[in-house]
Each structure stands twice: as structure tokens, then as C-alpha cells.
């Protein structure tokens, strides 16, 4: 095969969320010109964390030309406008990280500087009053944005989804198989490497069958079947910054109200997620085994459910960090095989999506050029590190004194990139988003402010508009948002009308 | 609590940088801040950078400059790109046209289909698919227009050539009307507070001008940022060895070209910037490879018309001030660093610094975190532009002089090396974090100087060959048809923005 020839066989190893998202996107783009095989075993369960998403998933759905209502019906999905953080800064604190922007442009400087100026003078409300998604989430309301609403906040309702990850994988499997993807049932026991190039030539199944390929996508989860067990790529451990290493997950019965947001409640040595679906609530307790034993963690989880548990709690072990190279030789790891970060900001599925987009951008030819692979890995690392910083912020910026865990997090050394961000913010409230960093300025702002990190000042040019005018403007934004929320249906009503599961 | 706001801004020097800064700040913050500009009529301005890039339209929009008025006042013309002559090899000729090339229809970008067809011998030169390049070749011009839909006419990106002296005077008038107070005088020294901050500049007349924020637009002299604060300079001349220029205006040629031309010589290159009333020319050269006399002779031998003045020498060193912002002094323009005007970036770098100054505008507290971030971002822009300029020198196949052989053999910055390696594999170009030059700009220069990738994005092969060929041909035809609809550059100027006739011989 000529070095510059098109790859003929792509083999996806593992069929969880990552595997089927990858297969679906590649099948859509390659349109049968390249053979795509997914090898998965029904014996191996999927981790299926990351049932909560961020708004960028809409782009993925658009590329796949997925009908949103259909996808929601098939996956028992609900809408998500925000994440509520409870007990993070201090015990008893409660704030939201809402999607989309906050306020509207007024003058030379970003909205938050006008807001902060008045807030410091005791003349402005909390950020939530100026965010349509936070205001709507707090009232349990939802609707999709109205396209012809001009400047109205109703035109900019940013949303994502909560869904059942197992159903999502099944949905994408159907999608992929409909586009020519071959599914092979079987457990992989070995891989054959080329003596010459060191590339993976085939994977060998327990029954002796062999599945050959030119490009392998390792979606085997934590195990990193090819990227680690076969290629020994190495792993960078970040658990000194993110010390949680276990999660116990359990679904429970629904609560009376269907909330349009994820909730994250901090406990003594970790936090608990709450993800409302149509048919149940997903819950999980992420904790650090250094600071809490498993029995205690399970007891806390079960004591904080909204309804009766629907299954036995299931424990997951992980080490936060990233694979030293997401792409090594002819193996590209996507999903948990490429690294793990806890789902505190619902980034797991997003990172699968960006990895797939990046793979498409840097899709190799048969020769596998190192410059392309290096750039892929560089971009992948940048994405991982910036998300890591954002997660660390949640732990580090705390004022809790009730446990050793929180004291450790507050006092631990943090990455320089995060220190620089915090210092810049603390002086005059400036936040800089670099390159393709995932979280926008308002994402950082909501978490920093929500966890009681205060800037000493604001952009001096916020003073170009006098206080009375600024006040009127903030007041009007707040009123308009309140009025908009009033016309929105409840989350349940909206789902019943558009995408109720059978 | 926030620190108290500052009030007094003093701009030191009134060339292009000084007056752009004055007008920019007067427009944005003029209501609340006192802005003074000190300049001396005795000191000439360098006034390089008479050619610009399309982002200058953003500056004009913010300060409320109307295009036709501005071109009339500055003898300005339109610019659709830069033509590079003799750069890759002697006899080569390519253009870096503004804006995009082709249209994206399938999974990967236009350039990938071009690479595929080129490999198969079925592609035209890249420029045949670019509206700005074709219009430039035909000496035609008009601004972009949205109709008909999907037409290349919507992709006409352009900038300007203008007389920098007149531009500074034009900006001065606007800035003064917005409350900037100009003081005539030569600065003899600056005084510093015990903290080390500059607190005033002292004029020859003895007058003392106090301020809280000083913008050093004093050019190469770097009066405050270097002479007073000794900030330091990072020398990039090992990558960009040209260190002198000779500039001379000459009479206009018969045809008014809507592009800048850069012609490579034995140890440097010559610019040609057509204005309404004259052509600006200059020879940028490396003094260790060519004498001043030879450089002058080469310059004068390559003019389109009679010289209108004696060649004026400039000396410089490529590089950047270690911190553009140090204490309460922000260096904007040549005091902040120097990159030769090969890609017309001088005025853009001024504009970029003004924007960053507004983003990180200080109060009396002068936060170190804000200043550090300003410097980091500013430096990033400088370095990425540097890389792009180094590319032009490095990627050459000329064997006719030691200068070009040295440039081809030099080791380049890592960031440039990575960019070239990535491109060489499959023609991929990645633009990071708002760096100035786009993927298309890099492609035009790399391909224009005969650097071709070994292959192309595999997905460019997903479509049948004839279908891709038809698509490229359709793009070319659409470009040709569009160019046919455009008026001539001279006609367009005559109709919209002809400058009143001025006496010749006035540079």
C-alpha cells in the first residue's frame, strides 16, 4: 500500500458512548468509502458516565443530521440549562453555572465589568438575575430559543441534554449500522503488531477470529486496550490536583419536578451528581479514597437521593489524568482510553466529540505522518489541560473547614496556567480565553464568583458610562429576563409536547 | 476596592503611531480622560507602512473614518494583495491576495482539493481561484458586495496604500477635534517618581508635562521605554538580517496597480506602493551583504518613473522590546519593536497594541497581572508575524547570492518549523489563538515559494476526480466572471475618492 493512499479499514475497539459516537460520525462523513468495524463485547459493560452534556453537542447532532426530538425520545432525554453547585464554596452555598452569555453588550467593555461595578456598590443583583438560562433553570422552565426574537434573551437560550448513555450508544449503533458500519461481537484477547512499523495490524478475539485494520480507534475505556496494554504509551497522573479516584453510581426514582439542570452537591470528600432523565434520576458520588472509605461514600450517596434506588450501587475506580499521547502509531484513543476527568462540568462526551472532529481534521493516509500526529496530540493536550484547570478551580477555590479533603484542595499547589488566570481575575476581573479553550469567560466568571472569589476592581473603562445609566441598563436586562422566563413553559410541559419517550 | 481611575494620558511622539493612538483613545475614552500629545515638527517621522492589511477597516470604523474622505485626504489607493517577485527563485512571481480562496463545499477546505488536483496535474495556479488575485492582475477594483449570493464578489477583501505623512496629519485633525491637546516641542528628558514610574516629560522650553499613563510613540529612539526605563530589546536579526532601508518616491506609472509589489534583490527586497500622486519605493537590505551605494543604485534602477527626492536612509534592527508595557509606559509603534514591512504589518501592530491597551486599560493601581497579560498577548502577535516574515526568506531556492543561501540554511524558530512540518505532510495549516495570518495567507506564500506538501488530506480523495476538477473549474469561472464586472482601479478612484491635485515633489 502506498504511503499516501487512503486508509481502507478503520477498526473501532469498544462500543460504548465513545465507540459509537466515533463510528457514527465517521460513517456519516466517509459514506461507505472506508470500511468501519466496531468490535464490542456484550460481556463487558460500558461505563456510561457523562449522561450530562454541554451545548456543543448540538453541533455533533447537526453534523449527523439527527432529529433532536427523535433522539431525545429514544434516549429518555431531558433538557439542561445549567449545573447547580451546592456546598462548594462554603457549606450552604448554592450557585449555578448557566450556559450561554450573561447580560448584553453595553459599551466598550464586557457586561460583567458594568455588573461588578454596581455589585461592589451593593446596587446590582446576583449574576443569575442577568442570565436567561439560570433564571429559567431556577424556575424549572424550558423552551428552545426563538429564532425571530431579535435582541430578546429568548433568542439565546443555550441548552444541552441529559440522556441515558446506554440508550444513546444503542441509538448511535442503529444510526451507524444503517450507514454501513459492521459490528463484530467478541472479546479482544490480543493484538498483532507489524514487525516493521510497530503498528497494530489486527486484533484477535477470544474465539480465535482476527480483525485486521489500518487505523484503530481505541474506545476500550479505562483499560486502554491498544493505546496502553499493547503500545505502552504511558499515562500522566493528575491526581495530586484532582484527588477523587472513585465513583459510586446509582439510579433512583424520579422526583415530582423535572429539573432542567444537573446538580452537583459537594460532600466531605467529593461530590454527588444528580442527572434527571425522563424515566429516572442518575446519581453518583465521586470521592477520594484517601479521605473517605467506600462504605461511608455509599451511605452518603444513598442518604441523598430524591427517590427509591432502582439498582445496586456500582463502583468505578479511576485515576485522573491523560494518556501521554492520545494518538500513538496507528492507534487513536478516544474517550476514557485517552484520559479521565470527572464529570463535574459534563465534559466527557464533549471530549469524545472534539476528538472525533480532530480525527477528521487530521485523518491520516496509510503512511501516518508524524507531523500530523504531533499536532493532533498537541491540540488534544491543550484541550485536556485547560479543562483540567477549570475543574481544579472548583476544588481549590473553597472556604470549607469541615474536612481534611477541602483543606487539602485549598492548600495544594495548582498549575501555573490556573494561577495566572486567578491572579488576572482577582485584580480587575479580567478573564482571557486562549485559543480553542473550551470554557468561555462567563463560565469561569460564574464559578469564580459562585465560589466567593472576588475581584478587587473592574475594567476602568466601565466608568465611561455613568452610574445612573449603567443602573438603568442592568435593571432593564433583569426585568426583560424575568418577563421572558414568565412566558416559558415548564420543563415537563415542553417535553410532553415535543419529545416524550414512549 | 478598585484603585482610583487615572486621568492624564501623555502620548510622546506624533507620527502614525502617535496619532493613531491619540485618535483611538480619544474616540473610546476621550470623555473621561485628558489626552495630550507632544511632538516636534523638527523631528521627521519614519512613516513606513504606507501599505496596510484589511483589518485597518476595523480601526477606521471604530474611529468613524469614512473611506472616500480618508483616501482623498491621503492620496490613497486600494490594495488587494502583495505581489512577490523573485522570491522563491529568480523569475518567480506570485501573489498573496487578501481574503479567502475558493469555496468550501465538502468535508475539507478548498485548498485540499487544489492540492489533490495539482498532484494530478489538473489544477490551475492557486491565484486563478482567488478573486482578489485575479482582480489585482487585471488592475480592477471594487468593494465586496453581497449580491448575487455565493458570488466571489462577496469575498473581495481589501486594504489601502496611503501617504503616511498625510495620514498622520489627517488623524491629527480628527484627534484634535475630539479633544486631544497637542503640544509642540522637543522632549529633552523624562522625570521619574521614587517608584520608578515616569511622572513627566520635560521639553526644551523647560515646560514640564506631567501624566499618569505615558504612551511612547517616539519611534526607534524609544525615549521612555528604553532611554528612561531601559526595558531591553530582543534581537531577531539572526532570523531577519536586513538592517537598512533606502526610501524614495517616484512619479506614477501609466497603470494604477491595486496591489503592493515586493521584488527580491540580491540581499533584500524592494517595495513598490502606488499612491494617487506618486509611487513609494524602498529597498530593504542587509548591510553585511551589500553596500549602501549598491543598494541605492539597485533601488534607483528599479523605479517606474523619475525619482522625486533623494533616497532617504533608515537603519533598524529586527526585534521586539522585551516588554511593550513597562511600569506606566506603553510602547506603541517602532518604539515597541521593528519588523520590516514585507507583509505591511507595521500599522496593524499599532492598531493591535491600541486594542490591547483598551482591553487592559489601567487605573492608578497598574496591576501587574494585567500588564503581564498585555505583554504576553502583544508578544504572541509579534512572534507569529515574525514567523510569517521569516518564512518568506527561509523558503527560497535562489542560488545566486550568499544572502539567500544563508537564509535557506538558517535555523528558524520552533513555532515556524512546526508549521512548515505540518504543512509539508498533508498541506494542513493551523491558525492558533487569533494569530494574524490566516491559513490561506500561509498557503499562498508557502505554495508561492514552491513549498508543496507531500500529499493532501485523505478526505479530498473521497470525491470522484472529475467531479473535483469540475468544481475547481467552476470556481475559476465564477472568479473570472466576477472580475469582468469590476471597474478599473483608476476609474473607481476617479469616481469615488480622487485627491485634489497637489504640487509634485512633495513626499
Amino acid at each position: 500500500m502506498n504511503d499516501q493512499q487512503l486508509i481502507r479499514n478503520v477498526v473501532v475497539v469498544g462500543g460504548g458512548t465513545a465507540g459509537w459516537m466515533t463510528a457514527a460520525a465517521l460513517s456519516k462523513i466517509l459514506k461507505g468509502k472506508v470500511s468501519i468495524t466496531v468490535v464490542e463485547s456484550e460481556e463487558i459493560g460500558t461505563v456510561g458516565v457523562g449522561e450530562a452534556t454541554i451545548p456543543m453537542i448540538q453541533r455533533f447532532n447537526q453534523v449527523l443530521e439527527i432529529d433532536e426530538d427523535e433522539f431525545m425520545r429514544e434516549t429518555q432525554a431531558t433538557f439542561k440549562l445549567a449545573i447547580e453547585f451546592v456546598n462548594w464554596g462554603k457549606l450552604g452555598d448554592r450557585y449555578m453555572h448557566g450556559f450561554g452569555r450573561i447580560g448584553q453588550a453595553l459599551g466598550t467593555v464586557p457586561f460583567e465589568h458594568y455588573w461588578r461595578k454596581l455589585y461592589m456598590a451593593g446596587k446590582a443583583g446576583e449574576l443569575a438575575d442577568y442570565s436567561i438560562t439560570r433564571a429559567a433553570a431556577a424556575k424549572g422552565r424550558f423552551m428552545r430559543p426563538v429564532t425571530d426574537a431579535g435582541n430578546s434573551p429568548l433568542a439565546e437560550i443555550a441548552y444541552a441534554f441529559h440522556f441515558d448513555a446506554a440508550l444513546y450508544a444503542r441509538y448511535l449503533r442503529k444510526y451507524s449500522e444503517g450507514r454501513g458500519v459492521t459490528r463484530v461481537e467478541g472479546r479482544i484477547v490480543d493484538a498483532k503488531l507489524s514487525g516493521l512499523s510497530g503498528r497494530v495490524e489486527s486484533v484477535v478475539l477470544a474465539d480465535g477470529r482476527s480483525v485486521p485494520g489500518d487505523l484503530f480507534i481505541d474506545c476500550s475505556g479505562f483499560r486502554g486496550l491498544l493505546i496502553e496494554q499493547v503500545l505502552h504509551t504511558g499515562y500522566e497522573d493528575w491526581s495530586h490536583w484532582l484527588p477523587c479516584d472513585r465513583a459510586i453510581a446509582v439510579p433512583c426514582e424520579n422526583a415530582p419536578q423535572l429539573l432542567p439542570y444537573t446538580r452537583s452537591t459537594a460532600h466531605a470528600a467529593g461530590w454527588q451528581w444528580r442527572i434527571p432523565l425522563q424515566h429516572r434520576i442518575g446519581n453518583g458520588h465521586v470521592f477520594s479514597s484517601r479521605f473517605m472509605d467506600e462504605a461511608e461514600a455509599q451511605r452518603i450517596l444513598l442518604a441523598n437521593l430524591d427517590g427509591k434506588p432502582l439498582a445496586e450501587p456500582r463502583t468505578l475506580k479511576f485515576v485522573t489524568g491523560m494518556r501521554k499521547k492520545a494518538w500513538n502509531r496507528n492507534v487513536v484513543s478516544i474517550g476514557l482510553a485517552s484520559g479521565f476527568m470527572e464529570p463535574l462540568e459534563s465534559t466527557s462526551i464533549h471530549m469524545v466529540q472534539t476528538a472525533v472532529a480532530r480525527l477528521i481534521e487530521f485523518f491520516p493516509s496509510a503512511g501516518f505522518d508524524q507531523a500530523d500526529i504531533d499536532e493532533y496530540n498537541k491540540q488534544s493536550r491543550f484541550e485536556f489541560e485547560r479543562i483540567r484547570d477549570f475543574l481544579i478551580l472548583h476544588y481549590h477555590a473553597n472556604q470549607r473547614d469541615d474536612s481534611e479533603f477541602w483543606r487539602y484542595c485549598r492548600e495544594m499547589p495548582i498549575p501555573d496556567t490556573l494561577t495566572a488566570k486567578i491572579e488576572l481575575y482577582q485584580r480587575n476581573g479580567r478573564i482571557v480565553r486562549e485559543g480553542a479553550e473550551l470554557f468561555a469567560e462567563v463560565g469561569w466568571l460564574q464559578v469564580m464568583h459562585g465560589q466567593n472569589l472576588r475581584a478587587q476592581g473592574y475594567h476602568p473603562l466601565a466608568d465611561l458610562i455613568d452610574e445612573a445609566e449603567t443602573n438603568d441598563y442592568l435593571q432593564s436586562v433583569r426585568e426583560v429576563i424575568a418577563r421572558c422566563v414568565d412566558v416559558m413553559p415548564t420543563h415537563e410541559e415542553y417535553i410532553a409536547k415535543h419529545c416524550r419517550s414512549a | 476596592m478598585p484603585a482610583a481611575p487615572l486621568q492624564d494620558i501623555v502620548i510622546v511622539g506624533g507620527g502614525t503611531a502617535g496619532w493613531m493612538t491619540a485618535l483611538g483613545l480619544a474616540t473610546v475614552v476621550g470623555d473621561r480622560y485628558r489626552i495630550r500629545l507632544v511632538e516636534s515638527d523638527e523631528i521627521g517621522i519614519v512613516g513606513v507602512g504606507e501599505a496596510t492589511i484589511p483589518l485597518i477597516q476595523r480601526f477606521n470604523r471604530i474611529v468613524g473614518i469614512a473611506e472616500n474622505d480618508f483616501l482623498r485626504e491621503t492620496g490613497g489607493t486600494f490594495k488587494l494583495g502583495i505581489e512577490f517577485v523573485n522570491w522563491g527563485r529568480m523569475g518567480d512571481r506570485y501573489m498573496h491576495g487578501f481574503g479567502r480562496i475558493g469555496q468550501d463545499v465538502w468535508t475539507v477546505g478548498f485548498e485540499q482539493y487544489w492540492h489533490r488536483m495539482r498532484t494530478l496535474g489538473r489544477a490551475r495556479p492557486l491565484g486563478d481561484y482567488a478573486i482578489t488575485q485575479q482582480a489585482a492582475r487585471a488592475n480592477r477594483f471594487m468593494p465586496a458586495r453581497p449580491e448575487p449570493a455565493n458570488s466571489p464578489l462577496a469575498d473581495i477583501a481589501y486594504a489601502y496604500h496611503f501617504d503616511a505623512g498625510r495620514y498622520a496629519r489627517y488623524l491629527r485633525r480628527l484627534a484634535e477635534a475630539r479633544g486631544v491637546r497637542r503640544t509642540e516641542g522637543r522632549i529633552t528628558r523624562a522625570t521619574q517618581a521614587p517608584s520608578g514610574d515616569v511622572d513627566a516629560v520635560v521639553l526644551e522650553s523647560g515646560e514640564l508635562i506631567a501624566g499618569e499613563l505615558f504612551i511612547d510613540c517616539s519611534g526607534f529612539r524609544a525615549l521612555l521605554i528604553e532611554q528612561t526605563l531601559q526595558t531591553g530589546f530582543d534581537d531577531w536579526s539572526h532570523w531577519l538580517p536586513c538592517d537598512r532601508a533606502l526610501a524614495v518616491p517616484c512619479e506614477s506609472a501609466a497603470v494604477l496597480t491595486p496591489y503592493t509589489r515586493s521584488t527580491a534583490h540580491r540581499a533584500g527586497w524592494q517595495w513598490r506602493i502606488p499612491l494617487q500622486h506618486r509611487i513609494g519605493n524602498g529597498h530593504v537590505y542587509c548591510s553585511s551583504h551589500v553596500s549602501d551605494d549598491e543598494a541605492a543604485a539597485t533601488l534607483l534602477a528599479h523605479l517606474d518613473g523619475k525619482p522625486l527626492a533623494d533616497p532617504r536612509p533608515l537603519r533598524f534592527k529586527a526585534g521586539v522590546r522585551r516588554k511593550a508595557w513597562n511600569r506606566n509606559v506603553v510602547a506603541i509603534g517602532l518604539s515597541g519593536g521593528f519588523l520590516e514591512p514585507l507583509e505591511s504589518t507595521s500599522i496593524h501592530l499599532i492598531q493591535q497594541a491600541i486594542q490591547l491597551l483598551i482591553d487592559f486599560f489601567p487605573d492608578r493601581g497598574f496591576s501587574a497581572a494585567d500588564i503581564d497579560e498585555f505583554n504576553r498577548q502583544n508578544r504572541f502577535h509579534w512572534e507569529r508575524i515574525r514567523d510569517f516574515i521569516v518564512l518568506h526568506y527561509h523558503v527560497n531556492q535562489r542560488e545566486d547570492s550568499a544572502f539567500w543561501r544563508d537564509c535557506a540554511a538558517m535555523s528558524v524558530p520552533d513555532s515556524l518549523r512546526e508549521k512548515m512540518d505540518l504543512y509539508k505532510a498533508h498541506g494542513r495549516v493551523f491558525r492558533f489563538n487569533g494569530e494574524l495570518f490566516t491559513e490561506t495567507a500561509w498557503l499562498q506564500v508557502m505554495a508561492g515559494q514552491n513549498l508543496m506538501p507531500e500529499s493532501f488530506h485523505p478526505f479530498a480523495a473521497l470525491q470522484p476526480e472529475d467531479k473535483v476538477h469540475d468544481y475547481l473549474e467552476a470556481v475559476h469561472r465564477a472568479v473570472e466572471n466576477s472580475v469582468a464586472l469590476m471597474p478599473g482601479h483608476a476609474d473607481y478612484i476617479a469616481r469615488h475618492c480622487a485627491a485634489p491635485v497637489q504640487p509634485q515633489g512633495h513626499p
Side-chain angles (χ1 to χ4, degrees):
Chain A
M1 198 167 175
N2 179 306
D3 263 9
Q4 297 306 345
Q5 267 174 347
L6 187 61
I7 270 170
R8 295 203 188 101
N9 290 300
V10 177
V11 177
V12 179
V13 171
T17 315
W20 286 113
M21 282 179 75
T22 305
L26 290 181
S27 70
K28 171 75 174 145
I29 288 192
L30 292 169
K31 295 189 172 68
K33 298 224 166 63
V34 173
S35 134
I36 304 169
T37 306
V38 175
V39 185
E40 68 171 336
S41 162
E42 272 165 10
E43 293 166 41
I44 304 170
T46 65
V47 169
V49 293
E51 295 170 313
T53 56
I54 59 174
M56 238 81 94
I57 193 171
Q58 289 179 41
R59 197 148 73 194
F60 186 74
N61 288 347
Q62 277 154 18
V63 170
L64 263 53
E65 297 180 88
I66 280 178
D67 178 81
E68 192 171 291
D69 286 340
E70 178 198 278
F71 140 76
M72 292 189 70
R73 271 192 297 271
E74 299 264 341
T75 62
Q76 297 279 351
T78 66
F79 293 99
K80 171 178 175 184
L81 292 167
I83 306 175
E84 184 183 38
F85 291 93
V86 180
N87 295 339
W88 278 84
K90 293 187 295 280
L91 270 168
D93 278 2
R94 203 172 260 273
Y95 74 93
M96 274 196 200
H97 168 195
F99 296 138
R101 63 179 181 155
I102 295 186
Q104 285 183 304
L106 173 63
T108 313
V109 303
F111 171 85
E112 65 263 26
H113 293 285
Y114 301 105
W115 167 78
R116 183 173 300 106
K117 177 184 170 182
L118 263 61
Y119 186 83
M120 291 172 81
K123 293 175 182 166
E126 283 299 329
L127 278 172
D129 296 347
Y130 309 94
S131 153
I132 180 87
T133 55
R134 285 173 70 164
K139 291 199 156 182
R141 290 172 188 259
F142 178 80
M143 65 189 239
R144 293 193 181 105
V146 182
T147 44
D148 54 357
N151 282 330
S152 161
L154 290 176
E156 48 189 46
I157 302 169
Y159 66 93
F161 314 100
H162 305 111
F163 52 68
D164 182 318
L167 294 178
Y168 185 58
R170 205 175 303 163
Y171 178 75
L172 293 178
R173 174 180 161 186
K174 200 166 70 190
Y175 177 99
S176 306
E177 289 183 321
R179 280 168 181 73
V181 172
T182 310
R183 176 181 181 277
V184 173
E185 165 67 35
R187 201 162 51 81
I188 294 167
V189 293
D190 198 10
K192 286 224 160 53
L193 299 187
S194 149
L196 203 62
S197 65
R199 289 183 200 144
V200 175
E201 284 182 330
S202 61
V203 288
V204 183
L205 307 186
D207 60 10
R209 278 179 300 162
S210 150
V211 182
D214 306 311
L215 169 67
F216 287 82
I217 318 290
D218 187 345
C219 298
S220 65
F222 292 132
R223 295 188 302 156
L225 202 71
L226 299 180
I227 195 77
E228 196 57 54
Q229 293 183 19
V230 174
L231 296 185
H232 310 292
T233 305
Y235 193 78
E236 204 170 294
D237 184 341
W238 289 340
S239 55
H240 50 298
W241 287 317
L242 292 165
C244 289
D245 58 353
R246 299 271 195 286
I248 308 177
V250 71
C252 76
E253 285 179 350
N254 260 326
Q257 197 195 2
L258 190 61
L259 301 179
Y261 55 88
T262 307
R263 180 179 292 144
S264 157
T265 306
H267 292 317
W271 62 280
Q272 178 168 339
W273 76 73
R274 180 192 186 282
I275 296 174
L277 305 180
Q278 291 191 33
H279 59 312
R280 61 170 168 85
I281 298 174
N283 307 277
H285 185 185
V286 175
F287 65 101
S288 171
S289 65
R290 255 171 69 200
F291 293 90
M292 183 179 282
D293 67 45
E294 198 168 320
E296 171 73 355
Q298 180 163 325
R299 191 193 60 73
I300 291 172
L301 171 65
L302 295 173
N304 287 281
L305 300 181
D306 278 276
K308 265 208 308 233
L310 297 172
E312 280 302 306
R314 204 158 52 98
T315 302
L316 298 167
K317 297 185 180 184
F318 51 82
V319 179
T320 297
M322 66 176 280
R323 198 70 56 198
K324 279 186 181 136
K325 298 173 191 166
W327 184 339
N328 191 3
R329 297 188 205 171
N330 66 333
V331 174
V332 181
S333 56
I334 293 183
L336 301 178
S338 67
F340 180 84
M341 285 194 274
E342 55 195 89
L344 183 57
E345 283 281 354
S346 314
T347 47
S348 315
I349 286 183
H350 176 75
M351 291 178 77
V352 171
Q353 176 186 339
T354 51
V356 174
R358 200 176 299 124
L359 174 61
I360 288 167
E361 196 178 338
F362 291 94
F363 203 83
S365 44
F368 285 92
D369 238 294
Q370 199 54 41
D372 289 336
I373 296 174
D374 290 348
E375 181 65 24
Y376 178 101
N377 285 332
K378 195 170 103 183
Q379 293 187 20
S380 175
R381 170 172 287 274
F382 180 83
E383 177 180 45
F384 261 88
E385 289 181 345
R386 295 306 168 112
I387 292 174
R388 172 202 71 195
D389 285 359
F390 191 53
L391 298 189
I392 296 171
L393 171 73
H394 294 67
Y395 284 101
H396 184 62
N398 84 77
Q399 306 87 46
R400 287 181 59 148
D401 263 313
D402 58 303
S403 79
E404 194 48 42
F405 174 82
W406 290 107
R407 276 191 294 275
Y408 168 83
C409 291
R410 190 166 57 240
E411 282 154 21
M412 70 184 169
I414 56 174
D416 292 343
T417 39
L418 177 56
T419 305
K421 249 185 164 124
I422 291 176
E423 283 177 359
L424 185 65
Y425 167 81
Q426 279 181 317
R427 187 59 188 83
N428 280 324
R430 288 182 170 110
I431 301 170
V432 170
R433 182 186 197 177
E434 196 182 12
E437 227 175 79
L438 176 59
F439 289 100
E441 293 84 344
V442 290
W444 283 83
L445 171 68
Q446 293 179 81
V447 175
M448 292 199 280
H449 184 79
Q451 300 200 186
N452 311 307
L453 214 54
R454 292 288 178 269
Q456 293 158 30
Y458 50 86
H459 196 305
L461 299 184
D463 285 338
L464 292 175
I465 294 175
D466 67 36
E467 194 176 306
E469 192 185 332
T470 308
N471 198 30
D472 288 352
Y473 159 72
L474 283 175
Q475 195 57 38
S476 78
V477 168
R478 198 172 173 171
E479 284 165 14
V480 168
I481 282 176
R483 275 203 304 276
C484 287
V485 170
D486 282 342
V487 306
M488 291 168 71
T490 67
H491 187 208
E492 283 101 334
E493 285 165 354
Y494 194 87
I495 286 181
K497 194 163 166 207
H498 295 275
C499 48
R500 166 69 70 203
S501 298
Chain B
M1 277 308 292
L6 54 81
Q7 285 201 308
D8 287 299
I9 303 171
V10 178
I11 298 168
V12 170
T16 314
W19 285 113
M20 281 182 77
T21 305
L23 179 58
L25 290 181
T27 305
V28 177
V29 310
D31 292 354
R32 299 293 169 96
Y33 293 81
R34 285 192 295 263
I35 304 169
R36 294 186 70 172
L37 186 147
V38 187
E39 68 172 335
S40 164
D41 282 336
E42 292 167 40
I43 303 172
I45 66 167
V46 169
V48 293
E50 295 170 312
T52 56
I53 60 172
L55 283 169
I56 193 173
Q57 292 180 34
R58 190 153 79 194
F59 180 79
N60 286 353
R61 207 161 43 239
I62 290 170
V63 300
I65 285 180
E67 183 170 275
N68 288 336
D69 184 49
F70 146 72
L71 290 174
R72 258 193 303 273
E73 294 281 338
T74 60
T77 65
F78 293 95
K79 170 177 175 184
L80 293 166
I82 305 176
E83 183 185 39
F84 291 92
V85 180
N86 296 340
W87 278 84
R89 289 183 299 259
M90 286 295 281
D92 277 3
R93 203 172 259 274
Y94 75 93
M95 211 177 256
H96 165 195
F98 296 136
R100 63 180 189 152
I101 298 183
Q103 285 182 307
D104 291 344
V105 283
W106 297 306
T107 312
V108 296
F110 174 86
E111 75 284 1
Q112 292 294 347
Y113 296 102
W114 178 71
H115 283 311
R116 178 181 173 204
M117 286 297 115
R118 183 182 54 73
T119 311
L120 295 165
R122 298 185 71 185
R124 297 168 177 277
L126 186 60
D128 285 10
Y129 308 99
I131 178 84
T132 53
Q133 288 201 36
Q134 290 307 296
R137 296 254 180 251
N139 295 310
R140 291 173 186 254
F141 175 79
M142 70 181 201
R145 66 176 194 207
E147 299 290 329
N150 292 327
S151 154
L153 290 175
D155 298 334
I156 303 171
Y158 64 93
Y160 314 103
H161 306 109
F162 50 72
D163 181 319
R166 292 190 197 173
Y167 185 55
R169 282 196 292 278
Y170 179 67
L171 296 178
R172 173 181 161 185
R173 211 166 61 224
L174 295 174
E176 287 185 315
R178 278 171 213 177
V180 173
R181 195 172 141 210
R182 175 182 184 274
T183 301
E184 163 68 34
R186 190 188 267 278
I187 294 168
T188 53
R189 64 192 176 90
T191 62
Q192 285 170 277
S195 68
D197 285 3
V198 172
D199 57 13
V201 288
V202 184
L203 306 188
E204 224 165 28
S205 64
E207 187 186 352
L208 190 129
I209 296 177
E212 292 158 294
L213 171 65
F214 287 83
I215 319 290
D216 187 345
C217 299
S218 64
F220 290 130
R221 293 190 306 155
L223 206 68
L224 301 180
I225 196 76
E226 197 57 55
Q227 291 186 29
T228 305
L229 296 182
Q230 284 147 10
T231 305
F233 187 79
D234 284 330
D235 184 344
W236 289 341
S237 57
H238 50 299
W239 287 316
L240 294 168
C242 288
D243 57 353
R244 292 193 188 172
L246 285 164
V248 70
C250 75
E251 285 179 350
S252 288
V255 176
L256 190 61
T257 49
Y259 54 90
T260 308
R261 180 179 294 141
S262 158
T263 306
H265 291 320
R266 192 170 64 78
W269 60 281
Q270 179 165 340
W271 75 72
R272 179 191 185 279
I273 297 175
L275 305 179
Q276 291 190 35
H277 51 301
R278 60 169 170 88
I279 298 173
N281 306 277
H283 184 186
V284 174
Y285 60 98
C286 176
S287 64
S288 59
H289 284 264
V290 62
S291 70
D292 294 340
D293 288 347
E294 188 194 332
T298 304
L299 170 65
L300 294 171
H302 290 85
L303 300 183
D304 277 279
K306 264 207 309 234
L308 299 171
D310 286 331
R312 201 159 54 97
L314 292 168
R315 290 177 180 215
F316 50 80
K317 189 190 281 176
V320 68
R321 197 70 51 198
R322 236 161 245 156
K323 299 174 189 168
W325 186 338
N326 189 5
R327 298 185 175 275
N328 63 335
V329 174
V330 182
I332 295 184
L334 300 176
S335 58
F338 181 82
L339 287 170
E340 56 194 88
L342 184 58
E343 283 282 353
S344 315
T345 48
S346 314
I347 286 182
H348 176 75
L349 281 162
I350 294 169
Q351 180 184 338
Q352 177 76 57
I354 296 169
Q355 181 60 55
L356 279 177
L357 174 60
I358 289 168
D359 288 348
F360 291 93
F361 203 84
D363 51 32
R364 282 185 182 156
F366 282 93
S367 144
D370 287 344
I371 294 173
D372 289 349
E373 183 62 22
F374 173 100
N375 284 329
R376 198 183 64 79
Q377 292 193 22
N378 186 61
R379 191 180 179 95
F380 171 81
H381 290 297
W382 277 82
E383 287 180 353
R384 293 301 167 122
I385 292 172
R386 172 202 68 197
D387 285 359
F388 191 54
I389 295 176
V390 173
L391 172 79
H392 293 66
Y393 283 100
H394 182 58
V395 181
N396 82 77
Q397 306 89 47
R398 289 180 57 146
E399 295 285 346
D400 57 305
S401 76
F403 175 81
W404 289 107
R405 282 191 298 270
D406 289 354
C407 289
M410 73 180 161
S411 76
V412 299
D414 289 344
S415 41
L416 174 57
R417 168 63 45 209
E418 284 170 22
K419 240 178 173 130
M420 290 173 58
D421 287 348
L422 182 65
Y423 169 82
K424 279 195 267 194
H426 289 98
R428 292 177 171 115
V429 181
F430 178 67
R431 184 185 187 188
F432 180 69
N433 200 24
E435 64 179 288
L436 178 61
F437 288 101
T438 61
E439 295 86 344
T440 310
W442 281 83
L443 170 68
Q444 291 178 82
V445 175
M446 291 196 282
Q449 300 198 187
N450 312 307
L451 185 68
M452 294 299 178
E454 288 154 27
S455 186
F456 45 85
H457 194 302
F459 290 177
L462 294 178
Q463 308 292 333
E465 187 183 319
D466 287 340
K467 197 172 158 191
V468 175
H469 181 257
D470 291 350
Y471 155 61
L472 259 64
E473 282 301 293
V475 168
H476 170 64
R477 274 194 308 278
V479 164
E480 269 195 328
N481 295 339
S482 297
V483 170
L485 297 173
M486 296 169 69
H489 182 213
D491 295 342
Y492 186 91
I493 287 179
R495 187 159 343 131
H496 294 96
C497 49
V501 178
Q502 298 205 356
Q504 285 279 332
H506 162 55

